[in-house]
Amino acid sequence: MSNVPVLTLLEPEAPEAVAPCCPPLTERPLTAEEAERTARMFKALGDPVRLRLFSLVASHEGGEACVCDISDVGVSQPTVSHHLKKLKEAGLLTSERRGTWVYYRVEPSVVAAMGQFLTRAD
């Protein structure tokens, strides 16, 4: 028997970059770091294919979607993978590998923070 650790494929992959960070836009000026992080999230959604993929995942039954269920967006499979990677790097999606498929889920805390960011503080 070996003491080599075994990587399980069922562990969710961690988002690489962005955590919710910012107060409502009207509350105070953003710091440079807050602006950078927030811009990354909105930039990721600025591409129509990414926005569509994000919408497909968010609206999918159960709040998660297999890549096999969302890949019909008019671009090749490698391009879909590229766009999903960009959404993950922006912290908007998380993923989990199950066998040969990857399942994506919207990161709710980040989406809530984006919504709050655009809400007027009174």
Side-chain angles (χ1 to χ4, degrees), residues 12-63:
E13 298 172 25
E16 295 180 17
V18 182
C21 70
C22 305
L25 185 60
T26 57
E27 186 176 300
R28 64 168 172 77
L30 296 175
T31 66
E33 182 181 327
E34 290 170 336
E36 180 67 33
R37 287 205 252 173
T38 303
R40 227 176 293 149
M41 289 187 282
F42 284 105
K43 183 177 180 181
L45 293 174
D47 181 280
V49 173
R50 284 188 208 133
L51 185 57
R52 189 158 175 223
L53 286 167
F54 186 74
S55 172
L56 285 167
V57 173
S59 64
H60 203 270
E61 186 178 331

Side-chain angles (χ1 to χ4, degrees), residues 3-4 18 20 43 50 56 58 65 70-71 74 83 121-122:
N3 287 333
V4 177
V18 182
K43 183 177 180 181
R50 284 188 208 133
L56 285 167
I70 59 172
S71 59
H83 286 303
D122 292 322

